[in-house]
Amino acid sequence: MSDGGGVVGIIGGTGLTTLSGLEITGTRTRETPWGSPSSVLTDGHLDGQPVVFLSRHGNPHRIPPHQVNYRANIKALYDAGVRTVIGVNAVGGIHPDMGPACVVIPDQIIDYTWGRAGTFFEGDLEQVTHIDFTWPYDQEARNIIMQAAKVHGVPFAGFGVYGATQGPRLETAAEIRRMERDGCDLVGMTGMPEAALAAELGMRYVCLGLVVNWAAGKTEQIITMAEIEAAIDQGMSGVRRILEVSMAGLGKLKVLPQSS
C-alpha cells in the first residue's frame, strides 16, 4: 500500500502507564476474539500526530509480564487503525555500554519465554502460516526513532539483542551469564510475543528500551526497586522526547501487507 500508516500505537510499560504531552481526545474499550486488552485505549495527538496509547500492564500497574494478554493488546490496536507500534520497555543492561537510564533501540531479540499465547495462527485454520521474523524490529521505524534521539540530544544505543525472559522474577547471575554467551545485550520480560504478534498482522514494530538496572551479577549489589525507580525518573524524559519528535515521521510510513 502507498498510503501512510496514519495512527501510531504506543504500548507503555513499567514507568509509562500514562503519557504526558498527549492531547487526549477520548478513551474506548475494545474487545477482541482473544479477550480484553490490558487497559482502555487512549486516543489523542502527540505533537500533532494521531496516537493510540495502551498501558501494557494496566493502569494502575497490576498485570505481571507472563499474564499480559499480548494477543488482545495487539489486535485491539490493529482494530483501532494502528499499523505502526512503538513498544516502550523497561530492561536490564548486560552490555557494558548499556547501564541504568540508557535508551536502547535494539535490532534483534532472543525468546526465552514459555507457555505464553504467542500466535494468532492456531485453532481452526485453513492453512498453516509461517512469518518471516529474521528482522523482528522495523528498520524504517528504528531509523526515525534514532534520528529523533539525535535531534534532541538523547544519548542512546542504536543496536542490541533483547533477551526476553519469562518473569515475573528477575534472573539469576548464571542465567545472565548464559544470555551474555548467547549474544544478549539487554534482558526484559515483555518483548515477546508482542513483537511477533505485530509481525503476524503486518504491523511495523519497534522497541524503545529504557535500561532501569544492571542485570543480575553485573554488579555486586542486589537489584532494588529504588534503583529501578531512580533510573526511570532519570531516563523517561528522554524516552518522552524521542516519542514526541518521532511521531510525524512514524505516521507517514507506508502500511505493510498483512501476513494472514
Side-chain angles (χ1 to χ4, degrees), residues 50-100:
V51 166
V52 177
F53 180 83
L54 185 150
S55 180
R56 184 186 291 113
H57 298 283
N59 187 14
H61 187 290
R62 58 183 175 81
I63 307 172
H66 66 297
Q67 291 186 324
V68 171
N69 191 337
Y70 295 96
R71 289 192 295 189
N73 286 352
I74 293 296
K75 188 60 165 63
L77 289 173
Y78 185 88
D79 290 345
V82 170
R83 296 297 180 268
T84 297
V85 179
I86 303 176
V88 180
N89 299 87
V91 294
I94 299 175
H95 191 284
D97 294 336
M98 298 178 184

Side-chain angles (χ1 to χ4, degrees), residues 21 36 57 60 101 103 145 174 179 189 202 215 226 238-239 253 260:
S36 302
H57 298 283
V103 173
I145 287 177
M179 294 177 70
M189 301 175 188
V239 170
L253 289 173
S260 58

Side-chain angles (χ1 to χ4, degrees), residues 180-241:
E180 192 167 17
R181 291 193 297 270
D182 287 348
C184 294
D185 300 299
L186 303 164
V187 57
M189 301 175 188
T190 55
M192 285 290 288
E194 193 170 276
L197 291 166
E200 287 187 350
L201 294 183
M203 303 168 81
R204 296 178 184 270
Y205 183 91
V206 61
C207 170
L208 182 54
L210 175 63
V211 180
V212 298
N213 59 272
W214 284 111
K218 303 307 290 183
T219 67
E220 295 182 357
Q221 287 74 35
I222 63 171
I223 300 169
T224 66
M225 284 307 301
E227 172 192 4
I228 291 173
E229 290 168 359
I232 290 173
D233 290 342
Q234 182 180 349
M236 196 55 71
S237 61
V239 170
R240 291 189 172 98
R241 287 199 298 271

Side-chain angles (χ1 to χ4, degrees), residues 81-247:
V82 170
R83 296 297 180 268
T84 297
V85 179
I86 303 176
V88 180
N89 299 87
V91 294
I94 299 175
H95 191 284
D97 294 336
M98 298 178 184
C102 178
V103 173
V104 185
I105 300 100
D107 56 356
Q108 277 294 335
I109 194 164
I110 298 177
D111 188 6
Y112 299 95
T113 66
W114 50 269
R116 300 184 181 189
T119 181
F120 294 114
F121 300 133
E122 63 182 13
D124 187 16
L125 300 176
E126 294 183 2
Q127 64 181 25
V128 175
T129 302
H130 303 285
I131 60 166
D132 178 9
F133 203 52
T134 307
W135 304 105
Y137 302 116
D138 184 79
Q139 188 57 48
E140 289 186 87
R142 289 184 71 250
N143 288 340
I144 291 170
I145 287 177
M146 288 188 286
Q147 182 60 31
K150 291 177 184 177
V151 167
H152 252 291
V154 179
F156 73 97
F159 70 95
V161 178
Y162 181 128
T165 59
Q166 179 70 0
R169 67 167 178 84
L170 298 174
E171 300 72 33
T172 68
E175 287 171 330
I176 294 299
R177 289 196 297 269
R178 180 191 68 168
M179 294 177 70
E180 192 167 17
R181 291 193 297 270
D182 287 348
C184 294
D185 300 299
L186 303 164
V187 57
M189 301 175 188
T190 55
M192 285 290 288
E194 193 170 276
L197 291 166
E200 287 187 350
L201 294 183
M203 303 168 81
R204 296 178 184 270
Y205 183 91
V206 61
C207 170
L208 182 54
L210 175 63
V211 180
V212 298
N213 59 272
W214 284 111
K218 303 307 290 183
T219 67
E220 295 182 357
Q221 287 74 35
I222 63 171
I223 300 169
T224 66
M225 284 307 301
E227 172 192 4
I228 291 173
E229 290 168 359
I232 290 173
D233 290 342
Q234 182 180 349
M236 196 55 71
S237 61
V239 170
R240 291 189 172 98
R241 287 199 298 271
I242 292 172
L243 290 173
E244 291 172 358
V245 177
S246 63
M247 281 300 107

